[in-house]
C-alpha cells in the first residue's frame, strides 16, 4: 500500500533530492558496502568507454555510408550535412549510454546491489523482504524489465531527437524534457532493486511511481545529470541504490495508525 502524501508538490521535489543525499550518506557510513558497490560500475564503465571511443572513430564512416545521395554535393554543403549528422549520431549514442548505463550496471552487479539493498532495509529496521526466487530467476526478471524500460526510453529519445530540430523549442524545452524522462526512468530502474524484492512487478512499480511524479523527478533528475560524467556515475551508484531503497521503503510503508481519540474528561452520571 502506498502511503498517502502530506507534502506539497515542491516539498515532494525537495524530498526526492533528500533521498539522493541520504543514500550517499548511508554508503559513506558503510565503507565495505561502498567498495563492493563500485566494482559493477567500473566494469560497465570500461565497456562503455570502449564502445564510445569506437563510435567516435566510426561515426563519420557510418554517416557517409548512410548518405550516398550527398556524394555529389558541392562544398560547404556536403561537409555541413555530414559533420552535423556525425555529431548527432555521437550525441544519440551518448544519450543511449547514459540511459542504459544504470540498467547494465544493475544487471552486472545484481548480487552486490541486492545485498546492499537488503542491508539498508536491515539497518533501517523492520522486515527485510525477500523475493523467494532463485538468483537466475531474479536476474531474468530484472533483465526483461530493463529491456521493457529501455524500449520506452528509446521511443521517447527518438521523439525528442526529432523535436530537437524545432526552432527555439528544440534548444530550450526539449533538453529539459529529456532530462526529466531520463531521471524518471532512472528512478524506476534503481527502485526496482528494492521493489522487486517486495513482490512488485513492473506494471505495479510504474503505477506506484506515477502517483508521486515530483518525488521521483527530485530523486532521478539530479542523478541523471550527475551520471553524465562517467566516473561520477561509478562512485554515485552504490549510494543511488541505497537512496532508492530508502525511497521504496517510504513509498510502500503502511499508513500510520490514527491516534486514538482522547477520553472525554466528562462522564455522564447515572442516577
Amino acid at each position: 500500500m502506498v502511503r498517502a502524501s502530506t507534502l506539497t508538490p515542491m516539498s515532494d521535489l525537495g524530498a526526492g533530492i533528500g533521498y539522493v543525499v541520504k543514500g550517499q550518506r548511508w554508503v559513506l557510513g558503510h565503507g565495505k558496502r561502498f567498495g563492493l558497490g563500485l566494482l559493477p560500475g567500473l566494469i560497465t564503465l570500461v565497456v562503455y568507454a570502449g564502445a564510445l571511443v569506437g563510435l567516435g572513430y566510426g561515426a563519420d564512416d557510418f554517416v557517409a555510408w548512410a548518405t550516398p545521395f550527398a556524394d555529389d554535393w558541392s562544398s560547404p554543403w556536403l561537409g555541413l550535412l555530414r559533420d552535423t549528422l556525425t555529431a548527432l549520431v555521437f550525441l544519440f549514442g551518448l544519450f543511449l549510454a547514459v540511459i542504459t548505463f544504470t540498467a547494465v550496471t544493475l544487471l552486472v552487479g545484481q548480487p552486490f546491489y541486492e545485498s546492499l539493498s537488503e542491508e539498508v532495509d536491515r539497518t533501517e529496521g523492520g522486515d527485510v523482504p525477500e523475493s523467494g526466487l532463485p538468483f537466475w530467476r531474479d536476474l531474468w526478471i530484472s533483465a526483461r524489465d530493463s529491456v521493457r524500460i529501455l524500449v520506452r526510453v528509446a521511443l521517447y529519445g527518438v521523439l525528442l531527437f526529432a523535436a530537437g530540430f524545432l526552432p527555439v523549442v528544440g534548444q530550450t524545452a526539449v533538453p529539459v524534457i529529456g532530462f526529466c524522462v531520463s531521471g524518471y526512468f532512472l528512478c524506476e530502474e534503481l527502485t526496482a532493486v528494492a521493489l522487486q524484492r517486495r513482490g512488485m512487478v513492473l506494471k505495479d512499480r510504474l503505477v506506484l511511481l506515477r502517483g508521486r511524479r515530483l518525488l521521483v523527478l527530485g530523486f532521478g533528475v539530479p542523478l541523471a545529470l550527475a551520471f553524465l560524467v562517467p566516473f561520477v556515475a561509478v562512485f554515485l551508484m552504490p549510494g543511488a541504490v541505497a537512496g532508492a531503497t530508502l525511497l521504496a521503503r517510504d513509498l510502500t510503508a503502511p499508513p500510520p495508525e490514527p491516534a486514538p481519540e482522547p477520553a472525554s474528561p466528562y462522564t455522564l452520571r447515572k442516577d
Side-chain angles (χ1 to χ4, degrees):
M1 182 180 294
V2 183
R3 183 163 57 185
S5 173
T6 58
L7 300 174
T8 64
M10 293 308 297
S11 297
D12 246 8
L13 195 64
I17 298 172
Y19 283 110
V20 177
V21 177
K22 290 176 184 177
Q24 302 304 321
R25 187 182 300 158
W26 190 94
V27 295
L28 289 177
H30 299 75
K32 183 179 179 180
R33 294 288 177 181
F34 178 66
L36 290 174
L38 292 178
L39 293 177
L42 288 171
I43 294 171
T44 309
L45 177 63
V46 171
V47 174
Y48 272 52
L52 287 174
V53 169
L55 179 63
Y57 279 106
D60 52 349
D61 292 333
F62 171 76
V63 168
W65 170 82
T67 57
F69 59 85
D71 288 342
D72 298 329
W73 287 16
S74 60
S75 180
W77 304 114
L78 175 63
L80 183 62
L81 172 70
R82 288 184 170 170
D83 288 347
T84 300
L85 290 178
T86 298
L88 289 175
V89 167
F90 185 81
L91 288 175
F92 187 66
L94 184 62
F95 173 75
L96 289 179
V98 170
I99 64 175
T100 60
F101 180 86
T102 301
V104 174
T105 302
L106 289 174
L107 287 176
V108 172
Q110 175 82 5
F112 296 97
Y113 296 133
E114 194 82 25
S115 177
L116 187 154
S117 181
E118 289 178 0
E119 186 64 21
V120 173
D121 274 327
R122 192 172 292 112
T123 58
E124 293 299 309
D127 296 332
V128 181
E130 295 182 4
S131 67
L133 299 174
F135 168 73
W136 292 109
R137 177 65 177 166
D138 270 333
L139 187 63
W140 161 250
I141 293 174
S142 297
R144 181 194 63 193
D145 290 348
S146 294
V147 170
R148 290 175 176 175
I149 289 297
L150 292 177
V151 168
R152 296 179 185 220
V153 176
L155 291 175
Y156 278 108
V158 171
L159 293 175
L160 291 172
F161 180 77
F165 292 98
L166 296 175
V168 183
V169 175
Q171 293 73 47
T172 54
V174 169
V176 174
I177 296 172
F179 279 115
C180 287
V181 170
S182 298
Y184 186 88
F185 287 110
L186 177 61
C187 181
E188 193 289 324
E189 291 174 319
L190 291 168
T191 54
V193 178
L195 294 177
Q196 189 173 312
R197 286 193 295 108
R198 287 162 167 78
M200 296 189 70
V201 298
L202 177 60
K203 180 180 178 181
D204 293 336
R205 297 199 303 264
L206 291 174
V207 170
L208 177 69
L209 298 180
R210 200 177 299 131
R212 301 288 294 278
R213 283 189 178 90
L214 286 179
L215 180 67
V216 170
L217 292 176
F219 179 78
V221 171
L223 287 174
L225 290 168
F227 281 16
L228 288 174
V229 184
F231 288 105
V232 172
V234 171
F235 285 99
L236 289 185
M237 182 61 78
V241 173
T245 302
L246 295 172
L247 174 59
R249 283 173 59 87
D250 285 353
L251 282 176
T252 57
E257 293 289 336
E261 295 184 4
S264 173
Y266 303 103
T267 57
L268 295 177
R269 186 176 63 185
K270 295 183 178 180
D271 294 331

